């Protein structure tokens, strides 16, 4: 059994669906479980319910292999699996900075109720440090098999848009375990991944939980660092774009996650740094990560400052002005609009009285649902028709490749705010556009 454990994946969102599909493609027998019957029906029919390059093809392949199926039945999953991965969401709790563990607690409880033999439950969700210890107690007191069931923690670092690659060949794996058996089971569950030479860090549960939030906090800090430099650049006439490039040549600093602009959003970085700061305060070490609140503050200011630039280009008043908003997703190659800086800016401008027309290559349905008050175009050119200002908010390749002349033909005024430093200012200025970007003269 240890050579090829049978796997279940509880929670079939971005993380879980990708994990279930990739593990089946790599040769494992997998059941994906979710309480959302619609999602399960769509996945069973071969439809990925979100935008992720490469994943639909792999879902087809996995279903055809006969190794992957989906269910809403926890008893069936518990009976089937040797290793159960918990991949449910941990969003920000409404009215608080803390993580909402409702889905983690509910799925672990429901699974444990049916565990009648030795099995390994593996947490992948991002949780506050200490959660695994609490869940261990919960499992032991709930599962008919009692302490025959072990818990391990294996944080997930996948990026949306690169989810398949990040799952099949991650930078590293972290195994938080409390026994040699658990480590052995995890090594068996990830044998094809480890065979590629992917490094593994074996550690305790609490360190494994912390690795994830520490990594995301570092990434958020790096982005906010360069955006803080952009604020200083704005006060001095310096160019943050050149500054970032010059810093990046230092290998100790590196150029990744040093792209200035509108800042970070999405379902992970913003809520993870808030939940981490909150948890640290509970533990009495709030001061140690107090800087994360500043990181969050710098990031929020980028959105406000982008709105300011649009207002400036509208001579101080956006009411009645037409603004073309290019991008809605929190980053390119995704249809995810959770805490999306782009939509935040678009909605703020609309509240200030502007007529905002949004276009995004993938996130239109999600954006329309959340922001029915905004206008929507059929493409970038359509959105820009009669615009007083164009504002680029998500750096999709098709926006990077826009020809100024094509836009000039449709807009009312040739004014553009490049919220993502995605365009060539020389080219746009040469074509007669007033070009503005955060942190650039
Ligand atoms: C992130 C982590 O990268 C991943 O390891 C973790 O598992 C989940 O959270 P993701 O949310 O998919 O992944 O997006 P990521 O590519 O990290 O981008 C996050 C945000 O930062 C985006 O809004 C992006 O536009 C922004 N960003 C990124 C910048 O503003 N500047 C940069 O230099 C890099």
């Amino acid at each position: 059994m240890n050579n090829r454990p049978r796997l279940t994946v509880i929670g079939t969102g971005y993380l879980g669906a990708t994990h279930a599909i990739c593990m089946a493609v790599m040769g494992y027998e997998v059941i994906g479980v979710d309480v959302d019957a619609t999602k399960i029906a769509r996945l069973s029919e071969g439809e990925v319910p979100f935008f992720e390059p490469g994943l639909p093809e792999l879902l087809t392949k996995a279903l055809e292999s006969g190794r992957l199926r989906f269910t809403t039945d926890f008893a069936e999953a518990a009976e089937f699996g040797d290793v159960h991965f918990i991949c449910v969401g941990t969003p920000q709790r409404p009215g608080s900075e803390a993580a909402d563990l409702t889905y983690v607690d509910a799925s672990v409880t429901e699974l444990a109720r049916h565990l009648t033999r030795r099995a390994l439950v593996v947490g992948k969700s991002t949780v506050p440090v200490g959660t695994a210890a609490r869940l261990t107690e919960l499992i032991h007191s709930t599962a008919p098999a009692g302490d025959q069931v072990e818990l391990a923690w294996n944080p997930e670092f996948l990026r949306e848009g690169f989810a398949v690659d990040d799952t099949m060949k991650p930078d590293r794996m972290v195994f938080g375990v409390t026994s040699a058996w658990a480590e052995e089971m995890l090594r068996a569950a990830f044998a094809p991944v480890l065979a590629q030479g992917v490094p593994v860090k074996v550690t305790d549960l609490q360190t494994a939980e912390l690795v994830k939030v520490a990594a995301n906090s570092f990434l958020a800090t790096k982005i906010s660092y360069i955006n803080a430099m952009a604020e200083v650049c704005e006060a001095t006439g310096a160019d943050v774009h050149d500054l970032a490039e010059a810093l990046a040549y230092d290998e100790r600093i590196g150029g990744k996650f040093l792209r200035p602009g509108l800042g970070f959003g999405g379902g992970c970085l913003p809520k993870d740094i808030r939940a981490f700061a909150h948890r640290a305060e509970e533990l009495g070490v709030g001061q140690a990560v107090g800087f994360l609140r500043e990181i969050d503050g710098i990031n929020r200011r980028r959105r406000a400052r982008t709105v300011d630039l649009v207002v400036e280009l509208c001579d101080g008043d956006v009411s009645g002005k037409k603004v073309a908003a290019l991008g809605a997703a929190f980053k390119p190659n995704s249809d995810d609009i959770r805490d999306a800086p782009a939509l935040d800016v678009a909605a703020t401008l609309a509240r200030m009285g502007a007529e905002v027309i949004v276009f995004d290559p993938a996130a239109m349905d999600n954006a329309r649902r959340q922001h029915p008050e905004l206008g929507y175009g059929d493409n970038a050119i359509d959105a820009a028709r009669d615009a007083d200002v164009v504002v680029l908010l998500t750096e999709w390749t098709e926006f990077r490749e826009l020809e100024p002349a094509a836009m000039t033909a449709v807009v009312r005024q040739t004014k553009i705010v490049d919220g993502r430093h995605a365009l060539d200012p020389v080219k746009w200025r040469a074509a007669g556009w007033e070009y503005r970007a955060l942190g650039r003269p």
Side-chain angles (χ1 to χ4, degrees):
M1 178 196 75
N2 275 359
N3 291 335
R4 278 277 142 140
R6 296 204 294 190
L7 314 179
T8 80
V9 178
I10 320 282
T12 57
Y14 284 101
L15 165 58
T18 308
H19 185 58
I21 294 165
C22 289
M23 296 312 277
V25 168
M26 287 191 278
Y28 290 85
E29 280 186 67
V30 183
I31 294 187
V33 189
D34 205 290
V35 292
D36 182 340
T38 318
K39 209 183 264 179
I40 289 300
R42 288 173 74 178
L43 284 162
S44 303
E45 282 158 22
E47 188 196 336
V48 177
F50 49 85
F51 180 92
E52 184 59 47
L55 199 58
E57 295 81 351
L58 289 189
L59 174 58
T60 306
K61 194 169 156 188
L63 290 172
E64 279 170 1
S65 75
R67 287 190 298 268
L68 176 64
R69 62 198 158 90
F70 294 94
T71 182
T72 54
D73 186 350
F74 279 78
E76 183 188 346
E79 169 59 34
F80 173 86
D82 304 308
V83 177
H84 304 276
F85 290 98
I86 304 297
C87 296
V88 296
T90 52
Q92 190 171 335
R93 204 186 289 164
S96 160
E97 303 233 291
D100 181 353
L101 296 176
T102 313
Y103 306 118
V104 171
D105 288 3
S107 59
V108 168
T109 306
E110 192 51 26
L111 174 71
R113 288 202 314 123
H114 301 285
L115 292 175
T116 54
R117 63 185 163 89
R118 195 165 196 201
L120 184 68
V121 177
V122 182
K124 270 191 167 300
S125 307
T126 304
V127 293
V129 58
T131 303
R134 185 174 62 74
L135 293 176
T136 302
E137 304 269 302
L138 177 70
I139 290 170
H140 290 169
S141 61
T142 311
D147 57 16
Q148 287 270 74
V149 180
E150 279 188 40
L151 181 69
W153 216 262
N154 167 230
E156 181 57 59
F157 304 99
L158 71 81
R159 296 161 300 164
E160 290 178 20
F162 303 91
V164 172
D165 283 353
D166 285 353
T167 304
M168 300 277 211
K169 196 174 189 315
D171 296 340
R172 79 302 210 181
M173 305 225 73
V174 177
F175 294 167
V177 293
T178 54
S179 76
W181 176 77
E183 180 184 340
E184 209 179 290
M185 290 296 278
L186 279 169
R187 287 187 184 276
F190 288 109
V193 176
L194 301 181
Q196 305 169 84
V198 171
V200 188
K201 184 71 211 168
V202 180
T203 183
D204 52 52
L205 294 174
Q206 57 273 35
T207 306
E209 289 170 310
L210 265 177
V211 173
K212 177 60 190 277
V213 282
N216 276 356
S217 298
F218 189 86
L219 295 172
T221 301
K222 214 174 162 191
I223 298 169
S224 275
Y225 178 81
I226 197 65
N227 283 333
M229 293 305 112
E231 286 189 38
V232 177
C233 285
E234 277 159 33
T236 56
D239 187 336
V240 72
H241 196 82
D242 292 351
L243 178 74
E245 275 181 14
L247 290 177
Y249 285 114
D250 186 330
E251 280 176 14
R252 295 167 303 174
I253 298 175
K256 290 184 181 154
F257 274 71
L258 207 64
R259 277 180 289 113
L262 185 47
F264 57 83
C268 295
L269 298 192
K271 63 108 177 157
D272 286 353
I273 60 169
R274 290 170 203 151
F276 190 19
H278 181 94
R279 182 64 181 141
E281 272 157 23
E282 284 177 349
L283 292 166
V285 286
Q287 210 178 7
V289 295
F291 67 92
L292 289 177
R293 301 221 185 270
E294 195 53 48
I295 296 307
D296 200 9
I298 294 165
N299 194 51
R300 288 173 200 261
R301 283 204 297 278
R302 292 292 81 190
R303 302 179 185 194
R305 183 72 191 120
T306 302
V307 169
D308 290 348
L309 278 184
V310 175
V311 175
E312 274 174 41
L313 286 184
C314 289
D315 305 318
D317 185 8
V318 293
S319 65
K321 296 284 169 59
K322 197 163 171 189
V323 177
L326 304 185
F330 84 103
K331 67 173 188 181
N333 300 316
S334 170
D335 66 352
D336 195 344
I337 58 162
R338 284 176 293 171
D339 208 335
L343 279 176
D344 206 355
V345 169
T348 303
L349 288 165
R351 272 198 304 277
M352 294 167 81
E355 185 193 348
V356 182
I357 311 293
V358 178
F359 174 71
D360 187 281
M364 294 295 267
D365 290 346
N366 288 339
R368 270 202 192 93
R369 220 170 294 128
Q370 196 179 80
H371 289 283
E373 81 281 14
L374 301 174
Y376 292 92
D378 294 335
N379 51 54
I381 298 290
D382 185 44
R385 217 170 290 284
D386 299 324
D388 294 291
V389 180
V390 176
V391 52
L392 192 157
L393 299 168
T394 312
E395 69 278 32
W396 285 91
T397 304
E398 65 171 80
F399 299 155
R400 288 180 181 281
E401 291 172 352
L402 279 172
E403 279 306 323
M407 297 289 274
T408 305
V410 297
V411 296
R412 187 177 298 152
Q413 301 202 67
T414 47
K415 297 181 178 184
I416 189 159
V417 173
D418 181 1
R420 292 293 184 180
H421 292 213
L423 306 173
D424 177 359
V426 176
K427 181 170 155 187
W428 283 76
R429 285 183 179 136
W433 283 70
E434 185 171 355
Y435 172 96
R436 299 292 298 275
L438 297 162
R440 304 194 84 171

